[in-house]
Amino acid sequence: MITSKLPNVGITIFTQMSQLAAQTGALNLSQGFPDFDGPQALRDAVGRHIASGHNQYSPMTGLPALREQVAAKIARSYGANVDADTEVTITPGATQAIFCAIQAVIHRGDEVIVFDPAYDSYEPSVALAGGRCVHVQLGVKDFAIDFEQLKQALSPRTRMIILNSPHNPSGALISRAELDQLAELIRDRDDLYIVSDEVYEHLVYDGVAHASVLAHEELYQRAFVVSSFGKTYHVTGWKTGYVVAPPALTAELRKVHQYVSFCGVTPLQYALADYMAEHPEHVEELPGFYQAKRDLFCDLLAPSRFSFSKVTGTYFQLVDYSQIRPDLNDVDMALWMTREHGVAAIPVSVFYQDPPKEQRLVRLCFAKREETLRQAAEKLCVI
Ligand code: PMP
Ligand code: GLN
């Protein structure tokens, strides 16, 4: 009899819904990934580097050229100077980066504050470190941090707060003013760390600027800031990400990372370094690229019975279905939409410890070709 270390963990909702979409032939707007490829030049570069013999281990900390590109991009995007050698670590995906950051600082009995709805990898990572998640709910409508509740949740055992902006699944952003408020709240707690999950950092719309923890000098001193090349370059299957943290935190993170994976995939790192050097404009063009998809999808959905307001970040659009099937909870709604109407979605309640009873929301991914968005909207408009 195995004594499970994660007795409450099953197969993730992303796997379940993608499998159901495949079985039923539904359009898959559930698990977040593009149905188009990353840039041709980026993909060609991988082949080139494999052919030219870049196939052995990269340095544990990541390819220096890629770390330098990341530092240069951070300087351009946020005006922050981070040291490529001592503050940037390349990881096989943001999920691994988050896991390593948590293992690096969470001890048995520590508490970690997560904001619900929370990305599904945080809680198991905390549990494996022997810690415990304390859940604070974001606003039911605006998905904003309630600072009163956050204050209540802080205890002498709180060792970490996990932020996620732009936020999956809601698309909400944490503002600079909210970062300031957080900095003030924890100013006298020098034993408290932050993981800032910013994997959608470049998917921000309507001219709004992403308030990165990298640009917040005070918070950065206690932070691990995580991002993913998968989202930024439309290559989620490459599972390549990075974490930026001050030198002392980076040193602890690397102690874990070197025994979880040692290093990332070498030819992918070479290709990303080349592409970033040659196409610094890529990240600047990304908001416009995805905003056009968001706008198209929302315009196409306007005549439907779903209600929604356009997201400001991520490639997910939440839609409220209470005018369609108020009798169904969101898991049943997502299953019904997939099986009966040919569009797979993600229910939101699964990201809560205690889901708000009145909420009737599902998440749709709009990182799709125009044709897919049109076909999906056509189906969604007749529900
Ligand atoms: N955090 C959030 C909020 C995400 O949506 C994702 C996407 N899967 C990740 C982390 C993980 O990114 P990666 O695929 O690079 O591990
Ligand atoms: N981040 C992706 C999403 O939110 C899923 C990643 C995964 O399947 N683990 O849909």
Side-chain angles (χ1 to χ4, degrees):
M1 179 62 182
I2 300 168
T3 308
S4 176
K5 295 193 74 176
L6 297 170
N8 301 320
V9 167
I11 305 294
T12 79
I13 192 70
F14 307 117
T15 304
Q16 289 183 41
M17 292 311 302
S18 278
Q19 272 176 358
L20 186 63
Q23 278 163 16
T24 57
L27 294 168
N28 190 0
L29 268 50
S30 65
Q31 190 178 23
F33 62 87
D35 72 345
F36 47 88
D37 260 325
Q40 184 72 46
L42 175 60
R43 289 180 285 132
D44 288 348
V46 180
R48 216 172 46 241
H49 284 291
I50 289 177
S52 69
H54 287 140
N55 300 302
Q56 309 310 329
Y57 296 126
S58 71
M60 177 274 277
T61 58
L63 199 72
L66 183 56
R67 282 190 279 103
E68 272 152 32
Q69 285 303 320
V70 168
K73 188 206 72 173
I74 289 169
R76 282 197 306 274
S77 299
Y78 307 119
N81 289 312
V82 300
D83 183 76
D85 287 333
T86 58
E87 296 178 82
V88 180
T89 308
I90 308 296
T91 59
T95 311
Q96 196 257 23
I98 294 164
F99 182 83
C100 291
I102 291 169
Q103 306 309 310
V105 297
I106 296 307
H107 292 251
R108 183 155 297 283
D110 285 349
E111 291 175 359
V112 177
I113 293 180
V114 296
F115 295 99
D116 283 1
Y119 189 60
D120 66 344
S121 83
Y122 306 153
E123 184 138 28
S125 305
V126 171
L128 289 174
R132 186 175 79 85
C133 279
V134 173
H135 295 256
V136 172
Q137 237 179 58
L138 295 171
V140 176
K141 291 253 176 301
D142 60 3
F143 296 91
I145 295 174
D146 177 335
F147 278 89
E148 239 352 275
Q149 267 197 52
L150 174 58
K151 208 164 155 184
Q152 302 292 321
L154 284 170
S155 89
R157 286 174 175 248
T158 311
R159 185 77 56 233
M160 180 181 277
I161 298 175
I162 303 184
L163 304 176
N164 173 212
S165 176
H167 179 244
N168 179 8
S170 76
L173 306 177
I174 298 177
S175 68
R176 171 69 194 207
E178 287 167 316
L179 292 183
D180 289 341
Q181 215 173 329
L182 175 63
E184 193 185 325
L185 185 64
I186 59 176
R187 191 158 290 147
D188 59 355
R189 289 289 305 267
D190 55 9
D191 56 345
L192 205 163
Y193 305 99
I194 287 179
V195 163
S196 187
D197 178 348
E198 303 185 12
V199 298
Y200 301 103
E201 61 177 325
H202 298 297
L203 278 59
V204 176
Y205 313 124
D206 306 322
V208 178
H210 166 55
S212 175
V213 166
L214 290 166
H216 198 288
E217 267 181 51
E218 184 180 350
L219 282 180
Y220 177 65
Q221 293 316 312
R222 53 169 93 227
F224 298 91
V225 182
V226 174
S227 191
S228 172
F229 297 104
K231 319 287 172 193
T232 303
Y233 296 96
H234 319 304
V235 287
T236 59
W238 287 16
K239 292 302 299 186
T240 303
Y242 62 88
V243 50
V244 186
L249 288 183
T250 290
E252 290 304 316
L253 172 106
R254 288 174 177 176
K255 288 183 191 173
V256 180
H257 161 75
Q258 69 181 347
Y259 293 126
V260 173
S261 59
F262 185 73
C263 64
V265 179
T266 302
L268 301 183
Q269 294 185 63
Y270 273 97
L272 285 162
D274 285 359
Y275 190 78
M276 287 177 81
E278 284 158 21
H279 297 282
E281 78 289 354
H282 177 91
V283 294
E284 273 119 59
E285 289 169 2
L286 213 47
F289 174 80
Y290 272 119
Q291 186 172 320
K293 291 196 180 293
R294 178 203 65 173
D295 290 346
L296 171 71
F297 191 48
C298 287
D299 287 351
L300 291 167
L301 278 189
S304 78
R305 291 194 292 154
F306 289 97
S307 53
F308 55 87
S309 42
K310 286 182 179 181
V311 286
T312 24
T314 74
Y315 48 42
F316 303 116
Q317 179 65 52
L318 286 188
V319 293
D320 184 313
Y321 61 88
S322 41
Q323 287 172 57
I324 303 173
R325 290 296 305 265
D327 56 314
L328 293 184
N329 66 39
D330 60 355
V331 174
D332 290 339
M333 180 68 185
L335 294 174
W336 183 71
M337 283 171 64
T338 312
R339 292 193 180 118
E340 307 297 327
H341 293 279
V343 180
I346 293 285
V348 171
S349 62
V350 298
F351 305 113
Y352 283 90
Q353 182 181 52
D354 187 15
K357 304 256 171 315
E358 68 281 19
Q359 219 172 50
R360 291 280 179 277
L361 295 172
V362 291
R363 190 196 81 177
L364 300 168
C365 174
F366 58 80
K368 304 294 165 189
R369 287 171 288 138
E370 181 174 333
E371 184 196 340
T372 313
L373 294 175
R374 286 188 186 280
Q375 284 172 3
E378 207 170 293
K379 293 174 188 289
L380 294 168
C381 281
V382 295
I383 300 184

